[in-house]
Amino acid sequence: MITPLEHLSRNGRLDKFFIDGRWLEPKGTAKGVVVNPATEEVVTHFALGNAEDVDAAVSAARRAFATWSRTKPEYRAGLLERLQALLEARSELFAQCLSLEMGAAIGYSRTAQVPLAVAHVKVAREVLEAFPFVKQRGHTAITHEPIGVCALITPWNWPLYQITAKVSPALAAGCTVALKPSELSPLNALLFAEAIEDAGFPSGVFNLINGDGPSVGSVLASHPDVDMISITGSTRAGIAVAQAAAPTVKRVAQELGGKSPNVVLPDADLDRAVSLGIAAAFRNLGQSCSAPTRMIVPCTRLSEIESLAKRAADEIVVGDPRSNATTHGAIANRAQFDRIQTMIGVGIAEGATLVAGGEGRPAGLNAGFYVKPTVFSDVRTDMRIAQEEIFGPVLCLIPYDTVDEAIAIANHTVYGLAAHVQGKNIDIVKDVASQIRCGQVHLNYPAWDPHAPFGGFKQSGNGREFGIEGMLEYLEVKSILGYF
């Protein structure tokens, strides 16, 4: 099979952007680098955009909006269906790409990174096909109309997944888009643009500009012809985008940081609660904003929970992302690797008990951004490791005496993205869930629901993605009196 790099190089994609239905040369000469996290080697270079490239993309989107916004929902749904089929047909190419550029284990790329991304396209189509764009209220029509040109900024940790989570509902709603993927994982976005092209979307409906935050992201955020900006990233980046967007009073949707709790109630099945809790916290190597990295546990059972957590962490196979035996590959980039190592050191210095893992690479791995799955116990809720988003496989065990104290600990954070609650008495589980201030709660590790809206309270952002609520973000509400 041809590799992603061979494919992109052969088709001349690495030094071009997809704007107005064509692959165009950038206006500037700046280049970015793609580093293989497993080897720390530069594997390719790619074009970085500037303000002129942003202007070209936004202008194309503005021109296309006049026609695209008035297309029939059935037409847009048909294009999304073709896009879904193309992504499925190219799933192995995408999986290999993600493994290369962000270090994800190939098995995880195949079973999570790619299929969950495809699910967002499917859900957007399903929502579109059933959505009532006009509702009657007495003699008044309440209509939902596309907001306009949308600038979409996506992160490096779930690259394709976040692209489809934003692009699909925006296009379904009738908006046109300009996408800036992370400059740390740009290759999958180029492959996605090819799928958009091959699916037959009209020129200018989707536009891709690679670039960094200052040169492209901030220009998109402040651009007067952009009607909405949606960003998934750090809280720091979200604040900067909101500030840049403020003078033009455009809509800003933010899915930002998290420090999600996992409340283990006294009656929980500990074997299940702890083992699946480790799996949830360390999926994608903990590089998920919603990762439940604060496990809040009954102090009377702390010793037992420590043993279970250590066993689960020690069973994780960290290694070469290309190997089918590997469960967890490399951290996606040097900056994040260094951040995780620093925070593990902070936990040790703060006096937390190291149950598993620790500083440095796992044994036998002397190069690459590999980290040890790490568990701390006896963590106080005021410690830095309990308050700051580490974005890596580092779990805090925080003991509590009463359920009310557990809820207070769960809410003792500036974030409010997601939470988990484990327990046998479902009425108590539901009651605890209702008291946690966050946008999504998982009870006893349910199956993922791509129709469930996702987004945050507090400094985890605003707005929602996925399902009906995800498409509503891209729609304006108009009332037309005397319509009926």
Side-chain angles (χ1 to χ4, degrees), residues 361-414:
R361 295 181 176 88
L365 297 171
N366 301 316
F369 304 138
Y370 298 103
V371 300
K372 299 174 184 177
T374 298
V375 178
F376 284 107
S377 187
D378 297 311
V379 176
R380 300 188 313 274
T381 191
D382 61 345
M383 289 181 173
R384 284 183 63 191
I385 57 170
Q387 289 297 316
E388 296 183 24
E389 185 176 39
I390 299 172
F391 224 61
V394 181
L395 177 74
C396 297
L397 297 177
I398 307 175
Y400 68 85
D401 290 311
T402 67
V403 172
D404 285 343
E405 182 187 3
I407 295 168
I409 293 170
N411 287 327
H412 186 211
T413 172
V414 298

Side-chain angles (χ1 to χ4, degrees), residues 21-41:
R22 296 174 293 161
W23 291 92
L24 302 178
E25 300 283 348
K27 302 297 183 181
T29 60
K31 296 287 185 180
V33 298
V34 175
V35 175
N36 183 343
T39 64
E40 303 182 51
E41 297 174 346

Side-chain angles (χ1 to χ4, degrees), residues 165-201:
K166 294 183 188 298
V167 172
S168 304
L171 297 184
C175 296
T176 55
V177 305
L179 169 69
K180 189 205 91 65
S182 171
E183 67 274 23
L184 299 176
S185 55
L187 303 183
N188 68 96
L190 295 169
L191 295 176
F192 179 80
E194 285 188 337
I196 286 278
E197 180 182 28
D198 293 344
F201 283 84

Side-chain angles (χ1 to χ4, degrees), residues 21-146:
R22 296 174 293 161
W23 291 92
L24 302 178
E25 300 283 348
K27 302 297 183 181
T29 60
K31 296 287 185 180
V33 298
V34 175
V35 175
N36 183 343
T39 64
E40 303 182 51
E41 297 174 346
V42 173
V43 294
T44 194
H45 295 78
F46 64 100
L48 293 174
N50 59 25
E52 288 184 82
D53 298 304
V54 171
D55 281 342
V58 173
S59 295
R62 176 58 62 195
R63 288 192 300 272
F65 178 73
T67 301
W68 178 252
S69 62
R70 297 184 64 81
T71 56
K72 297 291 186 184
E74 296 80 10
Y75 172 65
R76 301 198 297 274
L79 289 171
L80 288 169
E81 186 172 24
R82 287 205 287 276
L83 176 62
Q84 178 187 337
L86 287 167
L87 296 179
E88 290 172 341
R90 300 171 186 180
S91 60
E92 182 61 19
L93 187 66
F94 278 103
Q96 295 288 343
C97 181
L98 293 169
S99 186
L100 170 69
E101 66 180 329
M102 64 163 294
I106 188 61
Y108 194 73
S109 291
R110 290 169 176 156
T111 60
Q113 287 277 0
V114 175
L116 298 186
V118 175
H120 287 310
V121 183
K122 179 176 183 288
V123 166
R125 176 178 57 78
E126 291 172 343
V127 169
L128 172 60
E129 289 173 340
F131 190 79
F133 284 90
V134 180
K135 299 177 184 177
Q136 182 173 354
R137 186 180 300 168
H139 296 293
T140 297
I142 310 298
T143 68
H144 288 86
E145 301 180 1

Side-chain angles (χ1 to χ4, degrees), residues 127-424:
V127 169
L128 172 60
E129 289 173 340
F131 190 79
F133 284 90
V134 180
K135 299 177 184 177
Q136 182 173 354
R137 186 180 300 168
H139 296 293
T140 297
I142 310 298
T143 68
H144 288 86
E145 301 180 1
I147 194 169
V149 175
C150 299
L152 311 177
I153 299 177
T154 55
W156 50 260
N157 59 319
W158 285 89
L160 182 63
Y161 176 96
Q162 283 296 156
I163 288 173
T164 59
K166 294 183 188 298
V167 172
S168 304
L171 297 184
C175 296
T176 55
V177 305
L179 169 69
K180 189 205 91 65
S182 171
E183 67 274 23
L184 299 176
S185 55
L187 303 183
N188 68 96
L190 295 169
L191 295 176
F192 179 80
E194 285 188 337
I196 286 278
E197 180 182 28
D198 293 344
F201 283 84
S203 298
V205 168
F206 170 89
N207 305 275
L208 167 68
I209 326 102
N210 274 315
D212 58 25
S215 298
V216 173
S218 63
V219 179
L220 283 169
S222 61
H223 203 290
D225 285 333
V226 168
D227 301 294
M228 173 184 173
I229 186 157
S230 176
I231 176 174
T232 295
S234 67
T235 299
R236 174 197 56 77
I239 292 170
V241 163
Q243 290 174 332
T248 50
V249 200
K250 57 173 57 70
R251 183 179 298 178
V252 178
Q254 304 163 310
E255 197 268 278
L256 308 177
K259 193 70 177 178
S260 299
N262 186 355
V263 178
V264 179
L265 295 172
D267 69 341
D269 176 347
L270 289 190
D271 279 344
R272 185 174 189 274
V274 176
S275 63
L276 293 183
I278 291 287
F282 292 174
R283 72 187 180 106
N284 203 37
L285 274 168
Q287 298 169 120
S288 298
C289 49
S290 60
T293 53
R294 293 186 298 140
M295 189 177 288
I296 302 166
V297 302
C299 63
T300 55
R301 307 189 71 180
L302 182 60
S303 177
E304 183 181 357
I305 289 168
E306 288 174 344
S307 297
L308 292 169
K310 175 175 172 53
R311 184 177 71 190
D314 289 346
E315 289 175 351
I316 291 173
V317 180
V318 177
D320 186 347
R322 298 169 298 179
S323 171
N324 289 323
T326 296
T327 62
H328 293 65
I331 293 298
N333 56 73
R334 163 65 72 178
Q336 194 54 39
F337 173 82
D338 291 343
R339 162 74 175 169
I340 295 165
Q341 295 297 328
T342 296
M343 291 305 295
I344 292 174
V346 166
I348 293 170
E350 288 182 313
T353 300
L354 189 63
V355 172
E359 296 175 294
R361 295 181 176 88
L365 297 171
N366 301 316
F369 304 138
Y370 298 103
V371 300
K372 299 174 184 177
T374 298
V375 178
F376 284 107
S377 187
D378 297 311
V379 176
R380 300 188 313 274
T381 191
D382 61 345
M383 289 181 173
R384 284 183 63 191
I385 57 170
Q387 289 297 316
E388 296 183 24
E389 185 176 39
I390 299 172
F391 224 61
V394 181
L395 177 74
C396 297
L397 297 177
I398 307 175
Y400 68 85
D401 290 311
T402 67
V403 172
D404 285 343
E405 182 187 3
I407 295 168
I409 293 170
N411 287 327
H412 186 211
T413 172
V414 298
Y415 300 112
L417 190 57
H420 289 246
V421 184
Q422 320 305 324
K424 293 179 180 176

